[in-house]
């Protein structure tokens, strides 16, 4: 259960940070609600499928994130900012994935 709670807290924190990819006005208006819905989705998925359910939520969220953020930036007239932020976010996500994978590998002690 501790791993599930940690995975949920970490997921909500990462998702909250990823919202920076949306235009400021959109984030101010919908950001808090988006985080609450994401957390509810994660809880439901983890109840049904455990940590793998959480992986499924992330798959859905990440596949939709880029297209909706792009659309919101086009509507706000800030598409080029979206491209810059997207590249920075991708670098951060892949770095975090590498860090988490490295910690997991070391903790398993199979090195």
């Amino acid at each position: 259960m501790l791993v599930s709670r940690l995975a949920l807290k970490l997921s909500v924190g990462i998702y909250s940070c990823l919202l920076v990819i949306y235009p400021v006005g959109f984030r101010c208006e919908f950001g808090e609600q988006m985080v609450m819905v994401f957390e509810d989705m994660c809880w439901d998925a983890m109840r049904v499928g455990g940590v793998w359910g959480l992986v499924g939520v992330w798959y859905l969220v990440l596949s939709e994130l880029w297209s909706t953020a792009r659309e919101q930036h086009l509507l706000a007239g800030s598409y080029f900012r979206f491209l810059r932020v997207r590249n920075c976010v991708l670098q951060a996500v892949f770095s975090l994935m590498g860090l988490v994978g490295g910690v997991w590998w070391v903790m398993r002690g199979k090195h």
Side-chain angles (χ1 to χ4, degrees), residues 40-53:
D40 289 344
M41 287 173 55
C42 291
W43 268 117
D44 291 342
M46 288 178 68
R47 257 186 247 122
V48 173
V51 174
W52 287 111

Side-chain angles (χ1 to χ4, degrees), residues 61-89:
V61 166
L62 289 176
S63 63
E64 187 177 304
L65 177 74
W66 304 120
S67 62
T68 57
R70 181 181 157 273
E71 180 180 323
Q72 291 304 317
H73 276 285
L74 284 171
L75 291 171
S78 57
Y79 183 67
F80 292 108
R81 180 184 178 279
F82 163 73
L83 293 177
R84 286 192 310 273
V85 171
R86 182 197 62 186
N87 292 338
C88 292
V89 168

Side-chain angles (χ1 to χ4, degrees), residues 8-20 22 26-44 54 57-58 61 65:
L8 178 70
K9 292 268 185 201
L10 185 62
S11 289
V12 171
I14 292 170
Y15 180 75
S16 297
C17 291
L18 286 176
L19 292 183
V20 73
Y22 286 99
F26 185 85
R27 273 196 323 262
C28 290
E29 188 170 347
F30 299 109
E32 189 175 322
Q33 293 170 335
M34 291 171 71
V35 172
M36 289 179 1
V37 169
F38 177 79
E39 188 172 8
D40 289 344
M41 287 173 55
C42 291
W43 268 117
D44 291 342
L54 185 61
V57 170
W58 271 110
V61 166
L65 177 74

